[in-house]
Structures are given as C-alpha cells and as structure tokens.
C-alpha cells in the first residue's frame, strides 16, 4: 500500500494509507444500519457527497478536510468495501477522499440509499442521485 502525502498539520493522528483498489475479495454484506447510522450516512452524503462517475463507471465521492478522519473511518465501517484515499495536499487544502464504486456501490451503497427517504429529504440531491443511476444504467 502507498502512503498519502505526509505534511504535518493538525492533531497527531496516524496517516491513512491509500487503500488497495484491486482487492480480489468481495466486500462483506453490511449489517443493517441503525436509525442513527442511516441518518449519519444520508446527512453526510446530502451535505458533502458527489454523485457521478468517470464516464465508464459510477461513483459516489466524499472529499473533506483531514480533521474529519474519524468520520471517514466510520464511513468505511458503514459501507464495507468503500475506499479512503489520502491525505492529499492540494491548493492549500489538506483532505481525504472517500469513494464507493464498482461492486460496493451497486451491491451495498445503492440499496442502502434506495431504502432511505432521500427524495423526501433533499430534492436536489435526490435528482443528482437519480441522474447518476440513469446515466450508468443502475
């Protein structure tokens, strides 16, 4: 595994290794989420999530400052098989990038999101989510 950029800023937390995106092990089925966990996932994706893709495959991405590392670690637990990259230093900003794509997006995250009241909670995000699903035939 490769290490991310290693400048020292903020509290002394261990650097997160860039995760291996070529794992041959399928993600494990996630345990059902509690009401709090559902709210956390929905809220963070509404507030900070990006629903799109690279033209070949869809992805949901979340990019935030490194001070939110503990939240990213929680997302990795909530969405097994998702990936965390970084930390990165770019344009005066130090951040991590969390990503769900491929099998984990199709088999884990989409069913979770489809079961949540996204349409009733945020119409704009729901439309972006539906556009991603339509564009990538999900």
């Amino acid at each position: 595994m490769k290490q991310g950029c290693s400048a020292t800023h903020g509290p002394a937390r261990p650097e997160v290794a860039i995760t291996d995106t070529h794992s041959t092990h399928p993600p494990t089925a996630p345990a059902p989420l509690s009401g709090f966990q559902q709210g956390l996932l929905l809220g963070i994706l509404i507030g900070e999530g990006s629903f799109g893709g690279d033209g070949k495959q869809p992805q949901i991405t979340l990019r935030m400052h490194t001070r939110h590392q503990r939240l990213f670690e929680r997302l990795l637990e909530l969405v097994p098989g998702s990936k965390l990259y970084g930390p990165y230093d770019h344009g005066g900003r130090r951040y991590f990038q969390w990503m769900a794509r491929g099998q984990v997006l199709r088999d884990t995250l989409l069913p979770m999101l489809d079961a949540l009241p996204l349409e009733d909670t945020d119409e704009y995000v729901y439309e972006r989510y539906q556009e991603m699903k339509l564009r990538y035939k999900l």
Side-chain angles (χ1 to χ4, degrees), residues 5 27 34 43 66 71-73 76 83 89 104-105 128 137:
C5 302
S34 70
T66 55
L71 175 60
F72 281 116
E73 292 166 358
L76 291 170
K83 307 292 181 188
D89 290 299
V104 70
L105 177 64
R128 289 178 20 226
K137 298 174 177 59

Side-chain angles (χ1 to χ4, degrees), residues 41-63:
L41 180 62
L42 188 60
I44 196 68
L45 292 178
I46 285 173
E48 299 289 334
S50 173
F51 302 85
D54 62 6
K56 294 179 183 178
Q57 68 175 335
Q59 62 193 36
I60 296 178
T61 307
L62 181 65
R63 187 180 294 173

